[in-house]
Amino acid sequence: RVGLVDELKSLYKVKWIDEADPGKGFEYLYLTPEDYEKLPKGTVEAHEVKVPAGGETRYVLDAIIGEGQKSTKGGIGVENLQGSGLIAGETS
């Protein structure tokens, strides 16, 4: 489970270890340059990576801050509590 700012859920992409078998995990989450540039400053911390095959540019996410986003007004604690509640319900 990945807790994430609601406004970013449709934007981030996943670099899978093996695209044919996502169960093997992922290397990193990233944004395209277009999506990264649309975000207000302070929403994420990311570093630029050039993919050798094809020269694609990606912004690899280092931190998701969510500053200035509607879903984080008042903090992101509610999202974290929702996830905790779901886990507690499944495991009790």
Side-chain angles (χ1 to χ4, degrees):
R1 174 175 161 78
V2 176
L4 200 59
V5 175
D6 288 339
E7 292 86 350
L8 297 181
K9 288 180 181 178
S10 64
L11 300 180
Y12 77 88
K13 314 267 187 285
V14 179
K15 168 62 171 107
W16 298 106
I17 292 171
D18 180 352
E19 287 192 32
D21 186 2
K24 290 182 179 177
F26 66 95
E27 291 184 40
Y28 55 82
L29 301 176
Y30 69 95
L31 298 168
T32 64
E34 297 78 21
D35 289 337
Y36 179 76
E37 290 166 12
K38 283 191 279 187
L39 295 174
K41 193 172 181 104
T43 304
V44 299
E45 287 184 12
H47 63 277
E48 186 177 317
V49 170
K50 296 268 190 207
V51 178
E56 177 187 0
T57 299
R58 296 177 176 174
Y59 285 89
V60 176
L61 298 175
D62 297 316
I64 298 169
I65 302 162
E67 186 175 305
Q69 299 298 310
K70 183 179 177 183
S71 65
T72 61
K73 286 199 187 333
I76 61 171
V78 172
E79 181 178 305
N80 293 332
L81 289 174
Q82 288 173 335
S84 299
L86 289 171
I87 292 168
E90 293 295 322
T91 58
S92 51

